[in-house]
Amino acid sequence: LDENAVGLAAPGAGKNRSVARGRSPGADVAAASLAPANPTHLRSFHGLDHFAQRTANGGNQFSTEPPDQGLCAGGGFVLETVNSVLRVFDATGAPLTGVVDLNSFYGYAAAFDRAAVTFGPDVFDPGCYFDPDTKRWFHLASTLERVNPTTTALSGASHIDLAVSRTSDPRGPFVVYRIPAENDGTNGTPDHHCTLDGVNPGPCFPDYPHIGADRNGIYITTNEFDFFGPGFHGAEIYAISKSALVAGGAIDVVLLDTADPSFGIAFDGIVGFPGFTVWPAESPDGLGEADRQFLLSSQAVFNDSGVDDRLRLWSVTGTSTLGTATPSLGLSAQTMNVNAYGVPPPSEQKAGSTPLADCLNDNTFPIAQGVKGCWHFATGTRPTRHEVEGPIDSNDSRMQQVFLAGGKLFGALDTAVGVKSAQHAGIAWFVIDPHAATVAKQGVLALDGVDLNYPALAVTGSGRGVVAFTAVGPGTFPSAGYAALDATLGAGDVHIAAAGRGPQDGFSEYHAFPPFRPRWGDYGAAAVDGDTIWVASEYIGQTCTFAQFLTSGFTCGNTRTILANWGTRVSAIRP
């Protein structure tokens, strides 16, 4: 037995929470073409997958999905990190390290010591960034503490962990900083008045952390919810002196709360209207602006209709004071009108072999004398319904990765689209003049009969970039795709870096593992290394029949585990 349904994904506070209230019908758009070849696609390799994640640290891991994607590149190295492992490759895709679990990387006890039956902290939502300015690597994750090592119950204590390399080599060593994130007045944090149950005070929860940078600082943003309840407080921005982090000594952290009314930020007439997924910008040179950091967020998730035609451009000002004895930062936001976008529908996927579903449905495979049913190996409780392949999650319409290059700000998000009157998931992209707070160029990437989701983009200093995503549909297994994105020309044709070989067949897909919540990624990743852009997306790079699943010990030749078959594809592209 791998894990039962109670212990599948290090249970606790729900992660990747959304405030989305409805789905959008999606306006009709013209479909992009599917390019047959791409001469700028330099190389591609299979990255981390569920088998590697689950078997890291001697197998003392939980099974997790989705594989929240982090990727950074520079100096001939590529670092990929997902829930809950990382690995370093060279520029050809050759591994330079083993698969390192994040609990070990951050100096914690194993996520799940199977011999002792003890549990380490829950480390999740990783990301990474290589800073071309200082030639240092930054890795971050959110961490939730247990009540004690003998239980999976969470105490309410949380922190953002930030690891900073001491050299230009991502294989280490690293200095690790732990930034308290309860924001309930304990551990030196402010009190953001999160609650346990909507009434009684309790700790806050730092969901969905992401990283950006400029010449002055490193900026980490989170979505802050009630730790033990469903309430949403707002997006948080943690600003830290980059030079202090590189020096490896003590640091000061400046916390900016997007819901703080003292900033005087108004939206729809409400002062202190919070941001959600306020994503900080990266830049290809690591320098950005001299005294200001830009961030972007979307708005449709707050609406009952699931639709909006506005973005919010956020500015952290006074960043040159980071690292001084008296840092003085301001926060402001402007509203920009854009073409309507909205929360997309779930993504359909091509029918194929789903051996986990077959296993859950099986009552004939011999287990022991008088005991039959493959389901015994997957879950401790006999499934009450027939499991079938279903759609995968298309995300809400939160902002995804943001880049500042050539004086323009680039961003993309998931949106509902109509192609030949059929509803699909597509990608809305934006090129923004942040100084004028105007949209210079915008558009939608969509395909006829194919859903595109979880965009990640990066842009070189010349304003030429790449947006990566998963492509999936009734005739397409989940595949790793990308398109060019240019500040002047807009988006190009859709290319497939690696075609999927089978459908998603993971535990979150099936009712036998409550709470039922089909998943597919939370975000992708892209990074600039000179004139090359590296991208990583989730895809399904394997397939096998139920018979092969049974005879291979449920691994299909070490390409999956009994509970999941996700994989990632890493590609180098010259735009």
Side-chain angles (χ1 to χ4, degrees):
L1 179 66
D2 185 12
E3 296 103 14
N4 61 30
V6 176
L8 285 174
K15 302 164 191 172
N16 188 37
R17 301 192 205 178
S18 178
V19 296
R21 300 175 180 176
R23 294 192 181 274
S24 162
D28 285 353
V29 299
S33 62
L34 187 62
N38 179 22
T40 62
H41 186 197
L42 302 177
R43 66 192 65 90
S44 180
F45 61 89
H46 184 81
L48 293 165
D49 57 29
H50 181 67
F51 183 85
Q53 180 272 320
R54 171 60 180 79
T55 57
N57 195 20
N60 290 312
Q61 292 269 86
F62 286 103
S63 285
T64 60
E65 64 176 3
D68 299 340
Q69 175 64 244
L71 183 80
C72 42
F77 298 102
V78 177
L79 190 160
E80 186 190 16
T81 183
V82 300
N83 280 337
S84 53
V85 290
L86 64 80
R87 194 171 205 179
V88 178
F89 302 87
D90 68 17
T92 72
L96 297 178
T97 68
V99 180
V100 180
D101 68 289
L102 296 188
N103 278 58
S104 295
F105 178 75
Y106 281 109
Y108 298 125
F112 180 12
D113 187 319
R114 293 169 181 274
V117 193
T118 56
F119 308 94
D122 184 2
V123 186
F124 67 99
D125 276 1
C128 72
Y129 167 70
F130 173 74
D131 185 52
D133 174 29
T134 61
K135 305 295 189 295
R136 293 293 184 270
W137 300 79
F138 297 81
H139 187 284
L140 84 157
S142 280
T143 298
L144 311 180
E145 296 288 350
R146 307 286 184 193
V147 171
N148 62 62
T150 65
T151 176
T152 59
L154 299 170
S155 68
S158 64
H159 36 93
I160 299 165
D161 288 350
L162 179 63
V164 185
S165 71
R166 299 299 295 138
T167 72
S168 60
D169 190 329
R171 291 170 290 187
F174 283 80
V175 173
V176 174
Y177 296 90
R178 310 198 196 286
I179 303 168
E182 300 93 338
N183 292 335
D184 59 356
T186 65
N187 291 326
T189 65
D191 189 351
H192 287 173
H193 306 290
C194 292
T195 69
L196 294 173
D197 49 14
V199 178
N200 296 298
C204 300
F205 169 70
D207 198 21
Y208 213 69
H210 288 290
I211 190 169
D214 62 18
R215 70 190 66 208
N216 303 305
I218 295 293
Y219 307 89
I220 299 170
T221 63
T222 65
N223 288 331
E224 188 167 270
F225 292 85
D226 293 348
F227 197 112
F228 296 110
F232 174 63
H233 176 77
E236 306 302 311
I237 305 170
Y238 297 80
I240 312 166
S241 165
K242 186 163 71 174
S243 60
L245 287 168
V246 171
I251 60 170
D252 292 318
V253 180
V254 180
L255 175 57
L256 304 172
D257 179 8
T258 64
D260 186 344
S262 69
F263 288 119
I265 300 172
F267 186 82
D268 281 346
I270 302 172
V271 176
F273 193 108
F276 177 74
T277 308
V278 178
W279 201 300
E282 300 174 40
S283 58
D285 58 6
L287 298 177
E289 298 276 306
D291 197 36
R292 175 165 48 179
Q293 168 70 4
F294 291 115
L295 312 91
L296 282 177
S297 69
S298 64
Q299 203 61 28
V301 291
F302 289 107
N303 300 335
D304 291 339
S305 66
V307 181
D308 211 298
D309 58 3
R310 297 163 296 177
L311 298 179
R312 298 177 78 182
L313 171 66
W314 301 78
S315 296
V316 176
T317 55
T319 60
S320 62
T321 67
L322 286 170
T324 69
T326 56
S328 178
L329 303 184
L331 180 66
S332 62
Q334 295 174 275
T335 302
M336 298 177 297
N337 294 324
V338 298
N339 295 336
Y341 61 92
V343 178
S347 295
E348 295 184 58
Q349 52 177 340
K350 182 179 178 179
S353 294
T354 52
L356 174 56
D358 295 338
C359 179
L360 295 169
N361 296 328
D362 174 76
N363 292 307
T364 63
F365 187 75
I367 304 297
Q369 183 67 33
V371 180
K372 296 182 179 181
C374 179
W375 63 266
H376 286 275
F377 292 102
T379 177
T381 305
R382 181 172 180 173
T384 59
R385 61 189 296 163
H386 184 80
E387 300 287 4
V388 297
E389 174 190 325
I392 59 177
D393 181 30
S394 297
N395 204 6
D396 51 29
S397 61
R398 70 186 71 190
M399 184 59 62
Q400 298 289 277
Q401 195 166 6
V402 176
F403 244 79
L404 177 67
K408 296 292 192 296
L409 202 60
F410 296 75
L413 51 80
D414 295 273
T415 188
V417 296
V419 181
K420 297 182 179 180
S421 298
Q423 292 299 300
H424 288 287
I427 295 167
W429 54 268
F430 309 94
V431 182
I432 293 163
D433 181 343
H435 298 282
T438 58
V439 178
K441 203 167 188 65
Q442 61 183 312
V444 172
L445 268 173
L447 282 178
D448 184 17
V450 179
D451 294 300
L452 308 179
N453 53 44
Y454 294 96
L457 60 82
V459 185
T460 66
S462 64
R464 302 181 68 182
V466 171
V467 56
F469 41 80
T470 295
V472 58
T476 305
F477 294 127
S479 304
Y482 67 94
L485 183 61
D486 187 277
T488 303
L489 302 176
D493 292 338
V494 170
H495 301 267
I496 299 300
R501 300 186 61 195
Q504 152 84 342
D505 182 45
F507 63 84
S508 69
E509 185 84 2
Y510 304 117
H511 292 81
F513 304 102
F516 173 64
R517 186 189 178 192
R519 301 303 307 278
W520 185 261
D522 285 340
Y523 45 89
V528 172
D529 185 11
D531 62 354
T532 299
I533 292 178
W534 288 89
V535 298
S537 300
E538 186 178 359
Y539 83 133
I540 300 297
Q542 66 86 236
T543 187
C544 69
T545 65
F546 184 45
Q548 292 168 328
F549 182 73
L550 293 176
T551 58
S552 66
F554 312 116
T555 71
C556 299
N558 294 346
T559 64
R560 63 166 298 154
T561 72
I562 191 170
L563 290 179
N565 70 331
W566 56 258
T568 64
R569 193 75 184 186
V570 180
S571 300
I573 302 160
R574 185 161 295 141

